[in-house]
Amino acid sequence: MSTFKAPKGTYDLLPPDSASYLAVREAIAAPLRNSGYGYVETPGFENVELFSRGVGESTDIVTKEMYAFTTRGGDRLALRPEGTASVLRAALEANLHKAGNLPVKLWYSGSYYRYERPQKGRYRHFSQVGAEAIGAEDPALDAELIILADQAYRSLGLKEFRILLNSLGDKECRPVYRAALQDFLRGLDLDEETRRRIDINPLRVLDDKRDDVQKQLVGAPMLRDYLCDACKAYHEQVRELLTTEGVAYEDDPKLVRGLDYYTRTTFEFVHDGLGSQSAVGGGGRYDGLSEMIGGPALPSVGWALGVDRTVLALEAEGVTLDLPPATSVFAVPLGEEARRVLFAKVTELRRAGVAADFSYGGKGLKGAMKNANRSGARFTVVAGERDLAEGVVQLKDMESGEQEAVAVESVVDVLKGKLDTQARTAQ
Ligand code: ATP
Ligand code: MG
């Protein structure tokens, strides 16, 4: 062990577990790639203003959780705590919305940073895959995103997740509701900080996770009862599309989520095997965000799914992903000449697209075969002086245990043939 450890609230991804982590990222991205979303990558840090305006001055993310700092050059930056503000900033900066092709559909995958109290499923560095559809107001787009997230989770084999759905209204109806809620909240027995929140962002009080607060919220006015006709009709269409497509959801009139920018459709994916860090993903419509960061009016919708918690959800359900072994062929040279011959064969296999590895460090047969076993390779190629004198190598099928001598010059073709057959019969 070195003197250093990973910083508090972070962890390292290492083989073999890192493989399922990567597979989760890919499984979430696959339905997006398949639905017109293009890949976007933005810097790990932005001007702090972008988040304080875009995420909201009154949110926990901005007031408590952001890694903000001043650079040597005097710039005020922050490590990104979430993806939406950055992606929208990038799209506006590149004028993607002016290319006449709305909505602009983008997906991303990366690291995010929040200074939180670390616990299982809650880290200071975590990973999200997200999607944003920018510049269109259409209930089918909201439904599309929810359906794609559902598809991603299902493709991983997850079953015990639920979709919570709500509408937060728009600039017509939300202010009326906000005032009614404030009246109600002012009559409750709440601590100083929560009282302040009543003034700044009363909807967030509904999201309070403490039991004593939740108890008092019984009977609070519900946004559902204040939605204007346009919001009601919009929400009804989203619900209908989901139902028609067979995606089950639960109406959750208290779902507000932690960010200020949401309007109308909001949703969260929760997993019942995760204890208190149960949200595996969330998102919604953010029709006002573009204007909040100085852009034109661009109604948009998106989500972000947490990769770390999705991996935990797989563990909780006992799902093991069916990942192909990283290595198909393992070469074991015995002696100097064999080292040269097999190294060349391994290089040739790799260039032909076959996953191959090599026993390094001049190990004896026993140690090398142990490595071959651990690699998960289906075939091992062993060669010693005597084999090479006869112009052959020994090809061992690690599954059946069968071994045969194969001519040195044909071993690459023989292996390709065997692996092709194996891939076909596995289908
Ligand atoms: P929570 O209510 O659990 O704090 P959140 O509403 O802050 O979640 P979002 O900002 O919506 O989370 O981020 C989307 C997803 O990213 C979450 O559903 C979760 O899976 C993941 N996520 C958010 N914060 C963390 C964290 N600190 N550690 C690990 N994953 C996280
Ligand atoms: Mg949070």
Side-chain angles (χ1 to χ4, degrees), residues 284-304:
R285 181 156 276 285
Y286 48 92
D287 293 342
L289 178 58
S290 175
E291 288 155 294
M292 281 159 75
I293 63 170
L298 279 174
S300 307
V301 55
W303 51 241

Side-chain angles (χ1 to χ4, degrees), residues 336-387:
E336 240 344 275
E337 195 196 343
R339 229 166 80 86
R340 276 192 295 276
V341 172
L342 289 193
F343 190 75
K345 293 297 173 194
V346 163
T347 303
E348 194 181 337
L349 281 165
R350 290 172 175 168
R351 287 184 176 149
V354 175
D357 205 357
F358 188 78
S359 173
Y360 289 101
K363 284 193 193 74
L365 183 62
K366 213 173 138 201
M369 286 312 283
K370 227 187 232 168
N371 289 169
N373 263 318
R374 264 200 216 129
S375 77
R378 173 68 189 269
F379 298 101
T380 302
V381 179
V382 186
E385 264 169 54
R386 222 180 315 149
D387 299 307

Side-chain angles (χ1 to χ4, degrees), residues 24 50 65 80 153-154 191 230 233-234 242 252 322 328 385 391:
V24 165
L50 174 69
E65 298 171 1
R80 58 183 182 191
Y153 287 140
R154 286 189 192 284
D191 60 275
Y234 194 96
L242 293 178
D252 181 352
D322 190 16
S328 301
E385 264 169 54

Side-chain angles (χ1 to χ4, degrees), residues 9 11 21 55 60-61 65 81-83 112-129 153 204 207 209 257-259 261-262 267-270 274 276-283 303-310 312:
Y11 63 98
Y21 207 90
V55 179
D60 283 353
I61 292 182
E65 298 171 1
E82 60 103 50
Y112 295 86
Y113 307 86
R114 294 184 194 176
Y115 192 77
E116 304 213 55
R117 196 168 67 77
Q119 45 200 300
K120 190 166 189 198
R122 191 174 294 287
Y123 310 104
R124 291 179 173 177
H125 165 261
F126 59 99
S127 183
Q128 290 182 339
V129 175
Y153 287 140
R204 287 278 288 127
D207 201 24
K209 298 200 163 71
R257 306 200 20 79
L259 297 82
Y261 52 58
Y262 287 110
F267 47 86
E268 199 158 273
F269 302 89
V270 293
L274 293 186
S276 46
Q277 267 61 252
S278 63
V280 285
W303 51 241
L305 308 188
V307 178
D308 310 72
R309 287 187 198 170
T310 304
L312 291 174

